C-alpha cells in the first residue's frame, strides 16, 4: 500500500482494554503490508508468564517499567503496527517516548461495549474486582486525558473491524499529508 511507504515511524495503537487494539492492529498491519506486534504478547514471551500474572506478582509499577523498556525496543527498527496494553500510554514517560518516535492512535469505544467484550475472559487483572463495568468507567475517566494526547483519535463501536481499519487508514493519510505539507 502506498501509505505504508510514506510512514517514517511505527504506528502505535493505544486505548482501554477491550477496544480492539490487537484485533484491529492485525488487520491494519495486513492492509498496510506491515508486520504487527502486540506488546502484551511480547511481555508474556519475555517473562514466561501471562501479563495478568506478571501484573499480580510484581505490581503495576514494576509491570509498567518493564512495559516501557519493551515498548522502547519495539519502536526501533522496522516500521510496523504495534498494539500496546491499555495502561502503557498512561505512563508519562512511555507516552512521551511514543509521541516522539511513533504515530499514536487512540482507539476509543463506549464503556458498555468494552464491558461486554472484556466479560468474555478473566485475563485482565484490573477487572477482577467484581464490578468490571464500574472499573472501566473509572479507567476511562482517569485515562482520557492521557489518551487524548495521541496524534490521532478514532472512535469505534460495535460495528465491523473493517470500518475501524478504514477510519484509521483515512486518519493516517490525513496525518501524513499534514506532516509532509
Amino acid at each position: 500500500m502506498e501509505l505504508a511507504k510514506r510512514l517514517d515511524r511505527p504506528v502505535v495503537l493505544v486505548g482501554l482494554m477491550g477496544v480492539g487494539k490487537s484485533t484491529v492492529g492485525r488487520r491494519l498491519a495486513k492492509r498496510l503490508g506491515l508486520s504487527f506486534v502486540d506488546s502484551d504478547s511480547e511481555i508474556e514471551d519475555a517473562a514466561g508468564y501471562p501479563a495478568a500474572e506478571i501484573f499480580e506478582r510484581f505490581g503495576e509499577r514494576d509491570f509498567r517499567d518493564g512495559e516501557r523498556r519493551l515498548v522502547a525496543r519495539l519502536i526501533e527498527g522496522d516500521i510496523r503496527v504495534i498494539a500496546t496494553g491499555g495502561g502503557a500510554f498512561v505512563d508519562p514517560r512511555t507516552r512521551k517516548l511514543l509521541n516522539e518516535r511513533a504515530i499514536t492512535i487512540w482507539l476509543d469505544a463506549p464503556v458498555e461495549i468494552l464491558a461486554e467484550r472484556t466479560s468474555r475472559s478473566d485475563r485482565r487483572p484490573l477487572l477482577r474486582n467484581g464490578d468490571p463495568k464500574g472499573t472501566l468507567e473509572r479507567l476511562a475517566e482517569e485515562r482520557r486525558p492521557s489518551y487524548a494526547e495521541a496524534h490521532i483519535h478514532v472512535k469505534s463501536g460495535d460495528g465491523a473491524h473493517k470500518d475501524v481499519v478504514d477510519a484509521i487508514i483515512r486518519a493516517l493519510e490525513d496525518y501524513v499529508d499534514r506532516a509532509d505539507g
Side-chain angles (χ1 to χ4, degrees):
M1 180 173 219
E2 190 62 35
L3 174 59
K5 294 176 186 164
R6 297 176 59 209
L7 296 175
D8 62 352
R9 298 175 276 169
V11 174
V12 177
L13 303 179
V14 303
L16 279 174
M17 61 186 95
V19 77
K21 297 179 299 287
S22 297
T23 305
V24 168
R26 278 185 197 86
R27 292 173 185 237
L28 176 64
K30 185 172 183 172
R31 281 269 302 274
L32 292 171
L34 299 173
S35 63
F36 170 78
V37 65
D38 182 299
S39 68
D40 280 348
S41 295
E42 293 293 312
I43 288 169
E44 291 174 358
D45 289 349
Y49 302 108
E53 188 174 336
I54 299 165
F55 197 95
E56 288 171 355
R57 277 186 181 203
F58 302 103
E60 185 170 7
R61 196 178 84 167
D62 284 352
F63 181 87
R64 297 295 173 214
D65 285 343
E67 183 177 51
R68 180 177 43 263
R69 289 190 304 273
L70 176 89
V71 166
R73 285 194 307 271
L74 293 178
I75 60 175
E76 294 301 320
D78 294 340
I79 293 172
R80 57 182 151 188
V81 176
I82 302 167
T84 61
F89 203 67
V90 178
D91 180 275
R93 292 180 294 176
T94 303
R95 185 170 59 252
K96 181 178 187 301
L97 174 74
L98 289 174
N99 274 338
E100 287 174 352
R101 306 207 355 238
I103 300 171
T104 53
I105 301 173
W106 172 23
L107 289 185
D108 188 14
V111 168
E112 294 72 28
I113 291 171
L114 301 179
E116 190 277 320
R117 287 180 185 167
T118 57
S119 70
R120 301 175 197 156
S121 152
D122 73 340
R123 64 184 182 87
R124 301 174 194 275
L126 291 176
L127 298 184
R128 292 182 180 163
N129 66 357
D131 182 17
K133 185 173 183 239
T135 299
L136 284 165
E137 287 170 344
R138 178 181 54 78
L139 289 172
E141 189 63 32
E142 289 172 1
R143 294 177 176 182
R144 181 171 278 107
S146 297
Y147 293 150
E149 292 183 33
H151 299 121
I152 297 169
H153 182 189
V154 174
K155 294 188 182 226
S156 71
D158 56 3
H161 292 306
K162 178 191 178 307
D163 296 339
V164 178
V165 171
D166 289 345
I168 292 170
I169 297 281
R170 286 190 303 273
L172 271 172
E173 286 172 340
D174 290 346
Y175 182 83
V176 171
D177 286 347
R178 285 193 311 272
D180 289 347

